[in-house]
Amino acid sequence: MKCFLSQRKSRYAPYVIADKVVGLYIVIAGRADLVNNPRYSSVNDRHTHMGELLSAIREAVPSRTTREWLDLCQTQGIPATDLLDLAHAHAHAHENAYVLDQGLITKREHPTEGEYYATRTPFAMSRTPISFSRHPPLLGEDTFTILEDLGYSADRVHALADASVVTATSPQATSS
C-alpha cells in the first residue's frame, strides 16, 4: 500500500491503493468499522467502491496534520510521503531523505535562464538509461512548431502572434 498525503488549502487527500496494510490504515484513520466490510476487502472491491472509501477516510484525515499522518504511517510500517512541489524544490533536493536517496530532483543550468530544479524521469531502466537531452522551452519557443503540427498554416500562426493571441518567440513565428 502506498499513501500519498496532500495538504492544500487545509485539505488532506490519502490515496490507499493496495491490500497489504489497507486495514491498518483504515484503523489509524479512525474507521475500524470499515476493516471487515466486504465492499473494501480486495483491491477490486476497493476500486469498485473507491469514492465511498475515500470519502470515509477524508472525513478523518483533517483531524491530523500531514506531519502527524506521516509519522503515524511510519510507526505502523505504512509507506507514505507528502506530495512534493517544485516551489519547494530546493528544500526537497537538500533535506528530504527520500528525494535525496532516489535522486528525484536535480539542479540544472539553463543556457539563458540560469539555475533551476527539475524532476527526473519516473523511469529507471538498466539496459536503456534515460538521459536528459533538452532544457524546458522558453515561453512561446515551440508555439510555431506545435501549431503547424496541429494544421495551422505559417500565415495563420504569424497572424495569431501579431494579434498577441499566442506568444511565439521563435524568429520565424512573427512577421514583424
Side-chain angles (χ1 to χ4, degrees), residues 1-3 14-18 22 25 46 50 53-54 57:
M1 178 179 95
K2 289 185 180 179
C3 174
Y15 299 97
V16 181
I17 55 177
V22 70
Y25 182 78
R46 282 193 299 283
M50 186 60 72
L53 179 60
L54 288 178
I57 294 172

Side-chain angles (χ1 to χ4, degrees), residues 55-76:
S55 290
I57 294 172
R58 282 187 185 128
E59 289 175 16
V61 171
S63 66
R64 294 184 170 102
T65 66
T66 298
R67 180 79 268 146
E68 290 169 333
W69 279 110
L70 292 172
D71 291 345
L72 188 55
C73 287
Q74 182 178 18
T75 63
Q76 298 299 319

Side-chain angles (χ1 to χ4, degrees), residues 99-147:
V99 171
L100 289 169
D101 290 345
Q102 300 297 314
L104 297 178
I105 297 177
T106 59
K107 186 181 350 180
R108 301 235 163 94
E109 184 75 26
H110 192 281
T112 60
E113 304 304 304
E115 189 176 278
Y116 69 99
Y117 288 90
T119 57
R120 73 160 172 80
T121 177
F123 306 105
M125 297 180 276
S126 60
R127 292 186 182 177
T128 313
I130 297 173
S131 63
F132 171 75
S133 61
R134 182 179 171 191
H135 294 285
L138 299 173
L139 178 64
E141 183 176 348
D142 293 337
T143 302
F144 194 84
T145 302
I146 291 169
L147 291 177

